[in-house]
Amino acid sequence: MTALHETRETGEPDTVSAVSAAATDAARDNLAALESEAIHIFREVAGEFDRPVILFSGGKDSTLLLHLAIKAFWPAPVPFPLLHVDTGHNFDEVISFRDRMAERHGLRLIVAHVQDWIDDGRLTERPDGTRNPLQTQPLLDTIAEHRFDAVFGGGRRDEERARAKERIFSLRNAFGQWEPRRQRPELWNLYNGRHRPGEHVRVFPLSNWTESDVWNYIARERVELPSIYYAHQRKVYRRDGMWLTEGPWGGPREGEEVKELTVRYRTVGDGSCTGAVESTASTVEEVIAEVQASRLTERGATRADDRLSEAAMEDRKREGYF
Amino acid sequence: MSSLLRLATAGSVDDGKSTLVGRLLYDTKSVLADQLDAVQRASVDRGLSTPDLSLLVDGLRSEREQGITIDVAYRYFATPRRSFVLADTPGHVQYTRNTVTGASTAQLAVLLVDARKGVVEQTRRHAAVLALLGVPRLVLAVNKVDLINYDEAAFTVIAKEFATHAASLGYAEGSVLTIPVSALHGDNVATRSENTPWYGGPTLLEHLEQVPVAPDPHDAPFRFPVQYVIRPRTADYPDYRGYAGQIAAGTVRPGDEVVVLPQGLRTRVTRVDTADGPRDEAGAGSSVTVLLADDLDIARGDLIASATDRPEVTDEFTATLCWLSSSSLRPGARVLVKHGARTVQALVEELGSRFDEQTLSTVDSPESLELNEIGGVRIRLSEELPVDEYSHSPRTGAFLVIDPKNGDTLAAGLVGERLSAVGAG
Ligand SMILES: Nc1nc2c(ncn2[C@@H]2O[C@H](COP(=O)(O)OP(=O)(O)O)[C@@H](O)[C@H]2O)c(=O)[nH]1
């Protein structure tokens, strides 16, 4: 049995007194409304699908997903396993956080290592060394192998223009592809999860959250995150307008000067193309202040792969990536 | 603490809807520098001198290539008082499908007209669909007032005409507001315009911030579709048995007398639980777990309702369908109906009427219902369901019609005969 309060850094016990209705009622409070919507979606999937799974990287959106799943089924354990597609280019702090969270909540964690696909020739390393685009096949292979029929992702519609029309229940065909014509209108809070054998549905409980909502909720609920989301000292070098860090994905090339800066990450992905931002925000409140003043969207600031082309995201979605 | 308002926009092509939505995002600083840079670059490429804000809400690439928007897109903006989820429903082809989708969750709709053209046929149709779906509040944004030299008399004619039409659809005076705006220049969108000294009402954004979000939930009877039964069977919670769901209407408190449907079992609420602890009251929209006094056999798909004001349990009802599929509906069709958390087999026994958009009246006994058409039907179910009239309790009067063969969503269904309520019939 995993109690909810264990996810909180402070370890405060659950409140025993009745929570005042005014404080958290969905009709009066934006975050309560978004939380209730996400919980409804989790329960709907639990009721209608045979083999759901939560994509869990240890990043902030997937950590929020897990937090909401725990709340949806409390005091019972979350009835789904976790799945991570590990590029081998992830930050150590995030991987150990991922493992810690799975263990704390007693959840099975399935890891698909991109390296395995490279080693046996199903995938080849790209010349630029970036592995984000290589995640698609291991993800689809693992979904097929385990016959998952609902796959929760942390995608939000405000992240990117191509996502503005994404459904909360997004149908994928037997090849994992997204077909615009088969996407269903979503009416009221009635979700249609019907699919044929071999097909699956991607489910996005955070669709209606913005980056500010995510951070405000993380602060309100005291959700624990990997340390690299907060300011720390790091050796970095400049490439394509981003601060990259050394790792198994490579390091500075000739002429790229290494500096030690105070930075944090706004997203955590493949280390070869995820940039740090200069920041002294070391608490969640300071991060919120920074987000509010920020002039760059998350993806624009930190993800090189999205900057390749304006429609890059859309192309990858058709292929079955997120 | 800020609240959430869900709204939808509707308008004909070129009335300036994209510009208005872009303006709302821009003026609430919901557009960040890199997005704005991209729009600036694209505007320069097209030879424009000022950034074209409509590009902020551009859609998928395939649609961009065709130069049209064909699907509902969701946009997000916020002020310190309120957060907004905006369903941007394109007014072109497939407008009914999109308007119905956007309207199903909207607490308010913004309809756009071009000040030079005023209320046109499509404005009336849009308003009729919004009324059919029961969107509680309407705003008419009379756009491009700069092009009529901010003329008060012309604006007043449009406002009066719209008020009359809205009243005929059942909108009370206080639930409709008409605002003169220029999406291009920003007049009365987020800042009060000096060009319209004769207009004393709020700006569009002020109105969106201040409008009450929901009718008083205490007026509505309690409705709670059971989504999932929570039974931990753990050492800490060996006997816990809770019914999880999202309150569809009304409020619930420990001690309330309720009835479980379709079984018709009466019992009492002992506890309203959440992961944050028990609640002394919870209202519509809240996801909670309800514990009951008696040990009953309750499963996903059942409905817990107020014992004094309960829905009808029936296997046959009249309904209004908004047909959303390119395959047509004919009487005798076998379909699935998803209502609350239950899906049952159903037969469309009779196709009684079709809404004629041109005349805003109904046609009796049509042969079929086609994509984007709205009609009145009689439905028979393979098992009984607890249903409300949509006008009485929208969330438990709403259902999906699903194709049993391929799983497609065929129609949005509303329990009851709604066409005469919107002036048709
Ligand atoms: N003069 C003027 N032009 C406007 C206004 N709003 C939009 N437009 C122009 O009207 C045209 C259509 O606008 P757009 O937003 O693309 O319309 P949509 O098809 O309704 O999304 C564009 O050329 C806009 O620049 C306005 O308030 N005043």
Side-chain angles (χ1 to χ4, degrees):
Chain A
M1 168 57 214
T2 39
L4 179 70
H5 64 252
E6 288 175 10
T7 63
R8 296 175 180 167
E9 271 176 308
T10 53
E12 274 180 9
D14 279 350
T15 89
V16 279
S17 63
V19 177
S20 137
T24 51
D25 208 74
R28 276 168 281 227
D29 175 51
N30 170 42
L31 295 180
L34 293 171
E35 178 192 74
S36 280
E37 179 181 72
I39 286 175
H40 172 78
I41 293 163
F42 273 111
R43 291 166 170 175
E44 206 52 22
V45 169
E48 294 222 328
F49 290 82
D50 294 326
R51 302 172 80 89
V53 67
I54 300 176
L55 291 181
F56 184 69
S57 64
K60 85 175 183 316
D61 293 330
S62 67
T63 300
L64 179 53
L65 266 190
L66 178 59
H67 181 84
L68 290 162
I70 291 164
K71 293 190 86 164
F73 299 103
W74 179 92
V78 174
F80 322 120
L82 306 176
L83 168 62
H84 183 215
V85 180
D86 188 344
T87 57
H89 285 175
N90 289 295
F91 296 86
D92 291 343
E93 296 90 334
V94 180
I95 293 299
S96 65
F97 176 83
R98 175 198 74 185
D99 295 344
R100 213 153 21 90
M101 293 305 278
E103 199 184 315
R104 180 185 294 174
H105 299 293
L107 297 172
R108 185 158 67 97
L109 172 69
I110 299 156
V111 180
H113 295 277
V114 171
Q115 190 64 50
D116 294 346
W117 271 254
I118 293 173
D119 289 347
D120 67 17
R122 280 178 287 174
L123 285 175
T124 35
E125 193 92 71
R126 288 160 53 101
D128 64 4
T130 296
R131 285 187 174 179
N132 264 354
L134 302 185
Q135 284 171 281
T136 306
Q137 200 184 333
L139 173 63
L140 294 179
D141 290 350
T142 309
I143 289 172
E145 182 197 339
H146 291 263
R147 290 184 289 122
F148 290 127
D149 53 2
V151 180
F152 288 102
R156 308 192 316 264
R157 289 181 182 134
D158 88 318
E159 272 177 80
E160 219 269 330
R161 269 196 301 187
R163 290 194 90 109
K165 301 181 181 190
E166 180 64 286
R167 305 299 198 274
I168 292 176
F169 275 39
S170 177
L171 185 66
R172 302 302 158 102
N173 67 18
F175 303 96
Q177 289 163 327
W178 177 81
E179 297 171 274
R181 282 178 195 287
R182 285 191 62 206
Q183 302 308 314
R184 298 159 178 164
E186 288 187 330
L187 300 141
W188 300 287
N189 63 347
L190 296 172
Y191 299 104
N192 177 356
R194 300 228 145 212
H195 57 281
R196 299 176 196 148
E199 296 183 339
H200 71 276
V201 176
R202 296 285 168 89
V203 181
F204 300 109
L206 306 181
S207 287
N208 287 326
W209 297 56
T210 64
E211 190 189 9
S212 291
D213 296 328
V214 169
W215 279 110
N216 287 328
Y217 186 81
I218 285 170
R220 182 191 283 193
E221 299 274 306
R222 283 166 281 170
V223 178
E224 186 185 342
L225 292 182
S227 55
I228 67 171
Y229 279 104
Y230 300 106
H232 58 285
Q233 293 282 113
R234 187 178 283 270
K235 288 204 172 75
V236 290
Y237 56 93
R238 197 86 179 145
R239 184 183 296 168
D240 300 335
M242 289 183 303
W243 291 114
L244 297 180
T245 190
E246 207 174 38
W249 49 83
R253 298 186 192 127
E254 280 267 331
E256 287 176 330
E257 187 195 343
V258 175
K259 283 189 179 177
E260 180 147 349
L261 295 177
T262 304
V263 298
R264 66 177 201 88
Y265 286 87
R266 291 181 66 182
T267 65
V268 298
D270 185 317
S272 69
C273 61
T274 302
V277 291
E278 281 187 79
S279 166
T280 55
S282 58
T283 64
V284 64
E285 285 75 20
E286 285 167 9
V287 169
I288 289 171
E290 194 185 275
V291 168
Q292 249 132 36
S294 169
R295 295 185 56 259
L296 286 181
T297 54
E298 275 179 8
R299 286 180 178 271
T302 57
R303 298 271 274 256
D305 56 329
D306 286 318
R307 312 197 314 182
L308 298 176
S309 90
E310 211 198 315
M313 180 78 148
E314 197 181 319
D315 290 338
R316 287 198 323 247
K317 194 163 90 171
R318 283 182 198 280
E319 271 168 32
Y321 174 95
F322 301 132
Chain B
M1 192 163 63
S2 77
S3 54
L4 181 70
L5 180 78
R6 295 178 198 256
L7 69 152
T9 55
S12 313
V13 179
D14 281 343
D15 284 350
K17 191 160 57 62
S18 308
T19 310
L20 182 70
V21 174
R23 166 66 62 187
L24 281 168
L25 301 185
Y26 182 77
D27 284 353
T28 54
K29 302 194 168 48
S30 305
V31 187
L32 296 155
D34 56 336
Q35 296 171 328
L36 207 54
D37 284 350
V39 164
Q40 220 121 26
R41 275 196 309 274
S43 302
V44 170
D45 289 349
R46 294 176 193 198
L48 303 173
S49 52
T50 51
D52 179 354
L53 295 179
S54 75
L55 296 175
L56 287 169
V57 298
D58 217 354
L60 294 180
R61 188 172 51 176
S62 51
E63 293 170 339
R64 283 206 293 283
E65 282 161 2
Q66 297 165 38
I68 50 161
T69 351
I70 51 170
D71 217 339
V72 180
Y74 292 87
R75 320 285 177 197
Y76 302 86
F77 59 100
T79 68
R81 295 181 60 153
R82 204 168 254 185
S83 297
F84 302 93
V85 176
L86 183 150
D88 191 1
T89 73
H92 200 57
V93 278
Q94 305 207 337
Y95 83 90
T96 305
R97 175 180 158 124
N98 292 319
T99 309
V100 167
T101 303
S104 72
T105 50
Q107 297 156 307
L108 175 148
V110 178
L111 267 167
L112 239 83
V113 294
D114 183 322
R116 295 169 299 179
K117 299 177 192 154
V119 174
V120 296
E121 207 170 279
Q122 194 160 3
T123 318
R124 291 201 189 83
R125 288 184 209 157
H126 275 136
V129 173
L130 297 169
L132 188 81
L133 272 283
V135 176
R137 287 165 199 281
L138 299 184
V139 172
L140 184 74
V142 178
N143 190 32
K144 309 194 188 182
V145 280
D146 53 304
L147 297 181
I148 57 163
N149 298 316
Y150 303 97
D151 180 29
E152 179 182 10
F155 170 80
T156 308
V157 170
I158 298 170
K160 281 219 173 94
E161 189 181 352
F162 187 71
T164 309
H165 182 58
S168 77
L169 297 172
Y171 283 97
E173 211 178 306
S175 56
V176 179
L177 180 69
T178 302
I179 308 177
V181 303
S182 168
L184 190 65
H185 302 296
D187 301 80
N188 296 326
V189 178
T191 45
R192 201 167 285 270
S193 171
E194 289 174 6
N195 299 313
T196 54
W198 41 266
Y199 173 71
T203 64
L204 175 59
L205 192 61
E206 276 167 357
H207 182 59
L208 296 180
E209 276 191 301
Q210 288 162 11
V211 72
V213 281
D216 187 350
H218 292 276
D219 291 347
F222 177 59
R223 298 288 185 261
F224 186 75
V226 175
Q227 280 187 285
Y228 195 78
V229 182
I230 294 182
R231 294 198 65 185
R233 296 197 191 92
T234 54
D236 293 346
Y237 296 91
D239 302 318
Y240 189 99
R241 186 185 179 94
Y243 304 102
Q246 185 174 27
I247 300 174
T251 56
V252 64
R253 310 171 130 265
D256 283 356
E257 292 291 325
V258 292
V259 60
V260 181
L261 300 170
Q263 301 89 321
L265 308 164
R266 269 188 85 119
T267 181
R268 188 169 38 81
V269 173
T270 54
R271 193 176 157 106
V272 178
D273 231 349
T274 71
D276 298 311
R279 300 270 296 263
D280 51 21
E281 182 181 271
S286 297
S287 284
V288 295
T289 300
V290 169
L291 281 72
L292 300 175
D294 302 289
D295 207 359
L296 304 171
D297 184 20
I298 300 174
R300 172 176 167 83
D302 293 341
L303 183 85
I304 301 175
S306 157
T308 50
D309 182 347
R310 54 170 82 177
E312 187 191 358
V313 177
T314 179
D315 61 1
E316 198 170 14
F317 59 87
T318 305
T320 305
L321 298 186
C322 306
W323 199 254
L324 310 174
S325 162
S326 51
S327 62
S328 50
L329 170 73
R330 286 172 202 285
R334 292 188 182 276
V335 296
L336 297 172
V337 161
K338 180 169 184 180
H339 174 260
R342 176 165 291 178
T343 305
V344 302
Q345 294 179 351
L347 177 71
V348 181
E349 289 183 314
E350 196 184 303
L351 181 53
S353 60
R354 179 171 61 77
F355 178 55
D356 184 338
E357 291 170 2
Q358 306 300 324
T359 58
L360 295 179
S361 63
T362 56
V363 176
D364 286 339
S365 308
E367 253 171 54
S368 67
L369 210 56
E370 308 290 335
L371 175 65
N372 291 319
E373 291 184 343
I374 298 171
V377 297
R378 186 113 195 112
I379 289 183
R380 193 153 49 114
L381 305 171
S382 59
E383 44 190 295
E384 294 190 317
L385 285 181
V387 297
D388 280 295
E389 287 277 324
Y390 188 82
S391 53
H392 183 57
S393 177
R395 286 295 164 99
T396 44
F399 60 95
L400 300 183
V401 177
I402 295 171
D403 187 334
K405 295 188 295 292
N406 60 18
D408 285 353
T409 298
L410 298 173
L414 301 87
V415 177
E417 196 287 297
R418 305 251 325 142
L419 292 175
S420 53
V422 298

